[in-house]
């Protein structure tokens, strides 16, 4: 089921993971263990996140001597809506907030239906306007391991 907010813990971690990868030049490969350690996200959780983001085409998986993960496209081309939709599912109408979250029948919507849809539209627009590059610095000032300089994401 889609959700309006808040984001799941996994989705928050997925955003943090993509933001971490965005701090280095496109194509920089990081091993899974290093991503886990430097983002302070449990290894098993990072593994699931990386698989989901790779399957969605947001990351690339590398095998062989350069084994690990990298962003699949420039940081300014990956927005928060991409990650939220990948990890938590698409944002959408989960159901009526006045009727125990049952879906409103199309011919008889609840008293707040249209207002809620307007909020939903604004949220979608907001998430799609924020790139991974936009959140990288604030996230890693808060959660990073302090082992690298924060460069201007590109």
């Amino acid at each position: 089921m889609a959700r309006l907010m808040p984001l799941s813990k996994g989705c928050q971690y997925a955003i943090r993971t993509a933001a971490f990868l965005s701090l280095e030049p496109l194509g920089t490969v990081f091993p899974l263990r290093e991503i886990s350690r430097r983002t302070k996200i449990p290894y098993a959780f990072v593994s699931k996140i990386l698989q989901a983001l790779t399957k969605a085409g947001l990351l690339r998986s590398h095998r062989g001597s350069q084994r690990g993960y990298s962003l699949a496209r420039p940081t300014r081309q990956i927005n928060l809506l991409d990650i939220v939709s990948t990890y938590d599912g698409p944002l959408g109408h989960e159901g009526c907030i006045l009727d125990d979250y049952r879906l409103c029948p199309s011919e008889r919507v609840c008293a707040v239906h249209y207002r809620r849809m307007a909020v939903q539209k604004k949220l979608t627009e907001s998430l799609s306007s924020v790139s991974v590059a936009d959140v990288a610095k604030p996230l890693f000032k808060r959660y990073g391991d302090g082992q690298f300089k924060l460069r201007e994401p590109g």
Side-chain angles (χ1 to χ4, degrees):
M1 181 181 302
R3 56 175 61 229
L4 179 62
M5 281 288 166
L7 301 175
S8 70
K9 187 61 140 180
C11 188
Q12 293 172 42
Y13 283 167
I15 292 168
R16 192 187 315 173
T17 299
F20 166 73
L21 293 172
S22 80
L23 292 169
E24 296 294 338
L26 185 64
T28 303
V29 178
F30 287 96
L32 191 149
R33 287 198 188 282
E34 184 176 353
I35 294 169
S36 173
R37 181 179 55 80
R38 293 179 68 181
T39 59
K40 299 178 183 172
I41 300 171
Y43 179 87
F45 224 143
V46 169
S47 179
K48 289 179 187 178
I49 289 165
L50 294 170
Q51 288 173 16
L53 296 178
T54 299
K55 185 176 179 182
L58 301 174
L59 300 183
R60 282 197 181 110
S61 173
H62 301 268
R63 305 210 186 289
S65 63
Q66 283 291 316
R67 187 180 191 136
Y69 294 85
S70 67
L71 291 178
R73 53 188 198 237
T75 60
R76 298 261 177 230
Q77 293 178 17
I78 300 174
N79 62 50
L80 295 188
L81 185 61
D82 294 330
I83 298 169
V84 170
S85 297
T86 295
Y87 209 82
D88 276 355
L91 296 176
H93 182 61
E94 305 88 54
C96 179
I97 61 174
L98 299 178
D99 191 15
D100 200 26
Y101 284 92
R102 286 183 272 209
L103 292 177
C104 292
S106 58
E107 69 277 357
R108 293 180 325 193
V109 295
C110 72
V112 296
H113 178 84
Y114 295 109
R115 287 184 180 98
R116 182 172 181 189
M117 292 299 98
V119 169
Q120 183 69 49
K121 182 179 178 189
K122 286 184 188 287
L123 177 61
T124 299
E125 290 168 357
S126 293
L127 289 174
S128 66
S129 71
V130 179
S131 73
V132 181
D134 295 331
V135 299
K137 280 188 176 184
L139 278 175
F140 277 86
K141 284 182 180 174
R142 184 171 187 172
Y143 297 107
D145 65 0
Q147 294 185 14
F148 57 94
K149 295 179 189 167
L150 292 174
R151 68 170 187 83
E152 193 63 36

